[in-house]
Amino acid sequence: MTTATKGRPQGATIWLTGLPSSGKTTVARALAGRLRTEGHRVEVLDGDEIRRFLSAGLGFSREDRHTNVQRIGLVAEILARNGIFAVVPVIAPYADSREAVRKRHATSDTPYLEVHVATPVEVCSERDVKGLYARQAAGQLKGLTGVDDPYEPPVDPDLFLETQHQTPQESAGSVHAVLAGKGLL
């Protein structure tokens, strides 16, 4: 385990952003498993779980989505600052919200890695893990990110993943390699 300057294990936030059904959570779980096997402390801050508990009551307006991302960012930064790898698979559709999270990490000198899970919407729609695309197509859902609500892809992510061309383990390995390359493992 890499040790931080204060004698604590080094933590980091690994933020996986992308469309619904892009593979964020699958990659996050594969990465978390690998990191745990190596002896690292890891927490996966799943967007659906956060919505149910930490952000219960928030809707899907731009303001509510921003608030949700900031809450997740705060929890991730606290965990990472205290030697835990916070793996965060969330849509986080707006660039300014993600940038605010990045700045929060920079202010506390906490490592932050942004991964764009850049699976095309057509592939996400075929996967349709939660049935969102089918509900949107049937007129039962409005505001689906990447379809009838915006998704602002990262301009300069630390890593760009095309999960339609890799297994989840290969994608997790790519993230792991970037963490190692940055001296965080």
Side-chain angles (χ1 to χ4, degrees), residues 131-159:
L132 298 174
Y133 293 92
R135 287 179 45 216
Q136 192 277 335
Q140 301 168 347
L141 176 69
K142 292 196 185 305
L144 181 58
T145 303
V147 177
D148 60 353
D149 207 55
Y151 177 75
E152 300 169 353
V155 176
D156 190 25
D158 296 286
L159 181 62

Side-chain angles (χ1 to χ4, degrees), residues 8 11-13 41 45 70-86 104-105 108 110:
R8 284 189 300 230
T13 293
R41 296 184 324 161
L45 300 178
Q70 296 316 296
R71 287 179 183 176
I72 297 168
L74 169 65
V75 173
E77 188 267 333
I78 290 169
L79 290 170
R81 184 169 23 105
N82 285 282
I84 298 169
F85 284 96
R104 171 178 196 82
H105 281 72
S108 68
T110 303

Side-chain angles (χ1 to χ4, degrees), residues 43-64:
E43 288 296 332
V44 176
L45 300 178
D46 180 70
D48 292 334
E49 290 178 8
I50 296 290
R51 277 232 174 241
R52 271 195 306 276
F53 300 105
L54 185 61
S55 294
L58 289 178
F60 291 90
S61 68
R62 184 177 180 106
E63 181 180 310
D64 282 356

Side-chain angles (χ1 to χ4, degrees), residues 2-185:
T2 303
T3 305
T5 55
K6 296 181 178 126
R8 284 189 300 230
Q10 177 70 56
T13 293
I14 302 104
W15 194 278
L16 296 113
T17 178
L19 297 174
S21 295
S22 62
K24 299 176 301 297
T25 300
T26 303
V27 172
R29 289 183 181 145
L31 176 64
R34 181 171 179 176
L35 291 171
R36 284 185 186 113
T37 316
E38 294 172 355
H40 299 284
R41 296 184 324 161
V42 181
E43 288 296 332
V44 176
L45 300 178
D46 180 70
D48 292 334
E49 290 178 8
I50 296 290
R51 277 232 174 241
R52 271 195 306 276
F53 300 105
L54 185 61
S55 294
L58 289 178
F60 291 90
S61 68
R62 184 177 180 106
E63 181 180 310
D64 282 356
R65 288 176 188 232
H66 178 77
T67 299
N68 184 49
V69 167
Q70 296 316 296
R71 287 179 183 176
I72 297 168
L74 169 65
V75 173
E77 188 267 333
I78 290 169
L79 290 170
R81 184 169 23 105
N82 285 282
I84 298 169
F85 284 96
V87 185
V88 186
V90 296
I91 295 169
Y94 303 113
D96 60 342
S97 296
R98 294 190 307 267
E99 184 57 26
V101 171
R102 180 187 295 278
K103 285 180 180 175
R104 171 178 196 82
H105 281 72
T107 299
S108 68
D109 198 29
T110 303
Y112 177 86
L113 180 74
E114 184 177 65
V115 178
H116 182 201
V117 183
T119 310
V121 70
E122 299 79 21
V123 174
C124 296
S125 179
E126 288 173 19
R127 291 178 180 171
D128 204 11
V129 176
K130 299 173 194 162
L132 298 174
Y133 293 92
R135 287 179 45 216
Q136 192 277 335
Q140 301 168 347
L141 176 69
K142 292 196 185 305
L144 181 58
T145 303
V147 177
D148 60 353
D149 207 55
Y151 177 75
E152 300 169 353
V155 176
D156 190 25
D158 296 286
L159 181 62
F160 183 85
L161 289 178
E162 293 180 316
T163 62
Q164 72 276 19
H165 300 304
Q166 297 181 303
T167 66
Q169 292 71 26
E170 289 169 335
S171 293
S174 296
V175 178
H176 189 276
V178 172
L179 288 167
K182 291 183 175 283
L184 297 171
L185 297 176

